[in-house]
Every structure is written in structure tokens, then in C-alpha cells.
């Protein structure tokens, strides 16, 4: 009897052990599958390459194109602190300073609406409409202006088909219209300038390459401006009648890094070198300003709020005397 009872107990133990051995791999497999599913990107999240393309678009909308017939709307909000911009006609040895950066608490808030339309898959047109609020407080005067800035229109053309393993090239052209308040026509005490006062044409070339999870980008551009004619602005003891702004050359380099499927960061540097401007006064005197160099270091953060939408925040720090001291910006796509 005792031997039979022991045999039954051993059989039950072996059966339980066998069942446990059969169940353990299944449980382990289920746990592993759950973990992999939790770590894997969900449907519709896309990949890091898509996130980097969206980040490039928000950082500089010249880096990507949209398909034929599509419309993309964007809203940009930026705040900048710069030195006061006013014409100074302190002439010595035939030279004058056109814009003397005095750092006298000048604040500018710019609301920009932009629209892109795809004429073809490799050709996109764009239009920007800036609304500017500028406040300046100096020892001599203080004032505030709220008005339309300089409207611009342009095209972007991609001559070669975009490929993952090769750099993508984009040719850009942009026309700026002098629709804002001109600094050459403002009377002292009547407000601040919200535009450049002259029309301009810019042509350039942009290049970017995605090396997942990093996107490298760079740009070159050249700008020529039309002269400001028929002026009659009193500057000290003389009257300014004509200004011919010098041409400018600019370049930029940077990279974007995807930290995750929802967060990306950008670091970039931009510099513009402007030739001196020629001034003419009513008494026949002519002078030329000195060359100016503006450089800005930009730091950005992109946050993906949906599979197709990324919002970008940026901070720019001026690194040369002719640059804005601080620029803070935010870009929000309106066509969510």
C-alpha cells in the first residue's frame, strides 16, 4: 500500500512538472512579445527620417517641397531684441554709418503668416505676410509702431529627384516688397520702422542630407536691393535724398538630431555680410557706410504633436556687434 501511494505521488509530481515546463515558455514568449510591442513605434508614428524632414521644414521652409496641388499654411511668432535702427549722418572722411546699432532697448514682435503651393512635385511657390509690432525706448525718444512688414514672394525648385543616400539640392528665389514703414521716410517722434524701405531680390542654394538619426543642412544666398529714391529726410544739418543699399552674401550650416520619434533638436549658424550703402544728400554730398557682418547661433527643439505635424521652438543668439542680441521664435503648421 505504501509503495502504491508513493508511486501515485511521484506520478502526480511528474505530471505537474511537465505541465509547468509546457506553460513556462509560452508565458515567457507572451511577456517578450508584450515588451516588444510596448517599445515598438505605433502605427502612424512614422520614422525618424520623416521627423527630420518635418523639422527641416519648420526650421527653414526652403528645405522641403510639397506635392502638386497641395497647400501648406504656417504661422510664425518671433520676438527679437536689437539695437535701435536709425540713420546717422555723422560724416568723416567721406564715410557715414547708415544703421548704427546703439542697443537702446528696441523690441520687435513679428507675426508671420505664410502659404506654400505646389505647382509641381519639384516646384513650390510661397507667400509671406508679416505683421510687426516694434517698440523703442531711448534717451532721446520712445515710441511704438504696429503695421504691416515687408511682404515677400518666392519659388523653390528641386532640380534632382530626392534620394535617401544622396544630398538633396534646392534652388530658391525670393522677392521682397517694401510694404512696411520705411526707415528713410520716418519723421522723428512719429514711430519706428517696420520695413526695409527698399525692394530686394534673393537667390540661393540649399542642401540637406539625412543620415538617420541626423540631418545635415546648409545654404548659400546672394541679395541685391533696389535704391530708395526721391527721399527728403532731415538728418542733422543735411537732407537725405537717395540711398543705394549694398549687396549681401549669406551662408548657414547646421544639423537636426532626432532624440526619439517625437522629439528632435537643431543647432545652426547663420551669417550675412553686407557691403556698404551709398548715401546722397540734397547739397550734393555723397558718402558710403561701412560693411556690416551679422552672425546668429540658433538652438531649436521640435515636438511632434501628431504623425504629420511638428511644432518647433528656437532661440537665436547674436555673436557679432551687427546682429540682434536675442531672437526667440515658434513655428506652428496651420494645416493640421
Amino acid at each position: 500500500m505504501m509503495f502504491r501511494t508513493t508511486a501515485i505521488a511521484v506520478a502526480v509530481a511528474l505530471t505537474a512538472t511537465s505541465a509547468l515546463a509546457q506553460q513556462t515558455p509560452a508565458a515567457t514568449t507572451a511577456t517578450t512579445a508584450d515588451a516588444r510591442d510596448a517599445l515598438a513605434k505605433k502605427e502612424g508614428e512614422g520614422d525618424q527620417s520623416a521627423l527630420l524632414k518635418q523639422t527641416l521644414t519648420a526650421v527653414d521652409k526652403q528645405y522641403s517641397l510639397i506635392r502638386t496641388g497641395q497647400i501648406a499654411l504656417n504661422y510664425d511668432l518671433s520676438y527679437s531684441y536689437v539695437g535701435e535702427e536709425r540713420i546717422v549722418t555723422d560724416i568723416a572722411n567721406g564715410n557715414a554709418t547708415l544703421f548704427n546699432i546703439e542697443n537702446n532697448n528696441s523690441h520687435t514682435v513679428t507675426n508671420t503668416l505664410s502659404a506654400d503651393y505646389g505647382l509641381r512635385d519639384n516646384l513650390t511657390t510661397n507667400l509671406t505676410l508679416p505683421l510687426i509690432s516694434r517698440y523703442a525706448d531711448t534717451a532721446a525718444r520712445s515710441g511704438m509702431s504696429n503695421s504691416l512688414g515687408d511682404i515677400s514672394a518666392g519659388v523653390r525648385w528641386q532640380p534632382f529627384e530626392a534620394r535617401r543616400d544622396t544630398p538633396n539640392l534646392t534652388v530658391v528665389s525670393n522677392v521682397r516688397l517694401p510694404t512696411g514703414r520705411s526707415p528713410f521716410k520716418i519723421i522723428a517722434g512719429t514711430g519706428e520702422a517696420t520695413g526695409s524701405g527698399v525692394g530686394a531680390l534673393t537667390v540661393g542654394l540649399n542642401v540637406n542630407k539625412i543620415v538617420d538619426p541626423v540631418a545635415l543642412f546648409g545654404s548659400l544666398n546672394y541679395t541685391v536691393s533696389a535704391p530708395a529714391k526721391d527721399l527728403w529726410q532731415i538728418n542733422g544739418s543735411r537732407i537725405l535724398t537717395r540711398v543705394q543699399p549694398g549687396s549681401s552674401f549669406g551662408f548657414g550650416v547646421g544639423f537636426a538630431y532626432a532624440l526619439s520619434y517625437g522629439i528632435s533638436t537643431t543647432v545652426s549658424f547663420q551669417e550675412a555680410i553686407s557691403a556698404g550703402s551709398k548715401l546722397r544728400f540734397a547739397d550734393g554730398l555723397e558718402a558710403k557706410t561701412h560693411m556690416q557682418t551679422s552672425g546668429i547661433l540658433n538652438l531649436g527643439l521640435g515636438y511632434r504633436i501628431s504623425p504629420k505635424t511638428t511644432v518647433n521652438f528656437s532661440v537665436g543668439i547674436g555673436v557679432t556687434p551687427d546682429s540682434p542680441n536675442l531672437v526667440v521664435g515658434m513655428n506652428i503648421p496651420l494645416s493640421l
Side-chain angles (χ1 to χ4, degrees):
M1 180 67 66
M2 181 178 300
F3 175 77
R4 184 178 180 183
T5 302
T6 302
I8 294 175
V10 171
V12 172
L14 290 175
T15 302
T17 302
S18 177
L20 180 61
Q22 293 176 359
Q23 292 177 0
T24 300
T28 302
T29 302
T31 303
T32 303
D34 292 341
R36 289 177 179 174
D37 182 67
L39 292 175
K41 60 185 179 184
K42 300 298 186 294
E43 182 180 359
E45 281 188 336
D47 54 23
Q48 290 179 321
S49 296
L51 175 61
L52 290 174
K53 290 179 181 179
Q54 293 175 19
T55 301
L56 285 176
T57 303
V59 171
D60 188 334
K61 288 179 286 298
Q62 298 173 343
Y63 283 111
S64 65
L65 304 181
I66 58 178
R67 293 188 177 277
T68 303
Q70 288 187 348
I71 298 177
L73 302 177
N74 282 272
Y75 168 70
D76 292 273
L77 173 65
S78 68
Y79 161 79
S80 64
Y81 169 76
V82 298
E84 180 190 10
E85 296 181 351
R86 68 186 183 93
I87 300 175
V88 179
T89 56
D90 183 14
I91 300 175
N93 299 323
N95 293 323
T97 301
L98 178 58
F99 289 107
N100 184 22
I101 307 300
E102 297 180 349
N103 295 329
N104 286 321
N105 298 324
S106 176
H107 306 268
T108 304
V109 176
T110 304
N111 297 274
T112 303
L113 299 175
S114 61
D116 291 353
Y117 177 73
L119 292 177
R120 300 180 62 181
D121 287 350
N122 66 338
L123 183 64
T124 297
T125 61
N126 67 284
L127 179 69
T128 61
L129 178 67
L131 302 174
I132 298 177
S133 298
R134 174 169 292 177
Y135 172 77
D137 185 11
T138 70
R141 72 180 194 278
S142 63
M144 184 170 183
S145 293
N146 300 282
S147 74
L148 180 68
D150 288 344
I151 296 175
S152 64
V155 295
R156 303 192 299 274
W157 174 53
Q158 196 170 51
F160 308 108
E161 182 181 355
R163 296 181 180 179
R164 182 180 180 85
D165 297 328
T166 59
N168 298 322
L169 300 178
T170 305
V171 179
V172 299
S173 179
N174 183 71
V175 176
R176 186 187 67 207
L177 305 177
T179 53
R181 297 191 64 187
S182 171
F184 310 122
K185 298 182 180 181
I186 287 180
I187 301 175
T190 62
E192 300 298 313
T194 59
S196 62
V198 295
L201 171 65
T202 300
V203 293
L205 177 68
N206 294 326
V207 59
N208 72 84
K209 178 177 174 58
I210 295 180
V211 186
D212 213 353
V214 175
L216 306 176
F217 56 90
S219 64
L220 295 173
N221 63 78
Y222 181 75
T223 301
V224 292
S225 301
K229 304 178 181 179
D230 303 323
L231 306 178
W232 197 259
Q233 186 179 52
I234 299 176
N235 289 271
S237 59
R238 288 186 169 86
I239 298 177
L240 183 67
T241 59
R242 189 178 189 274
V243 176
Q244 174 60 67
S247 58
S248 67
F249 168 77
F251 67 91
V253 292
F255 70 90
Y257 177 70
L259 297 176
S260 68
Y261 294 113
I263 298 293
S264 61
T265 60
T266 58
V267 178
S268 65
F269 175 76
Q270 295 175 316
E271 183 168 326
I273 302 172
S274 302
S277 300
K278 297 179 181 179
L279 310 180
R280 182 182 299 170
F281 299 90
D283 58 3
L285 178 66
E286 294 186 357
K288 187 176 181 179
T289 67
H290 295 289
M291 182 177 65
Q292 292 186 333
T293 301
S294 175
I296 300 178
L297 177 65
N298 297 291
L299 306 175
L301 175 68
Y303 176 64
R304 172 177 279 191
I305 61 177
S306 74
K308 297 183 178 180
T309 304
T310 299
V311 177
N312 270 260
F313 306 89
S314 63
V315 175
I317 302 172
V319 295
T320 64
D322 300 325
S323 307
N325 299 77
L326 176 68
V327 180
V328 180
M330 178 181 64
N331 172 276
I332 301 177
L334 297 181
S335 50
L336 302 178

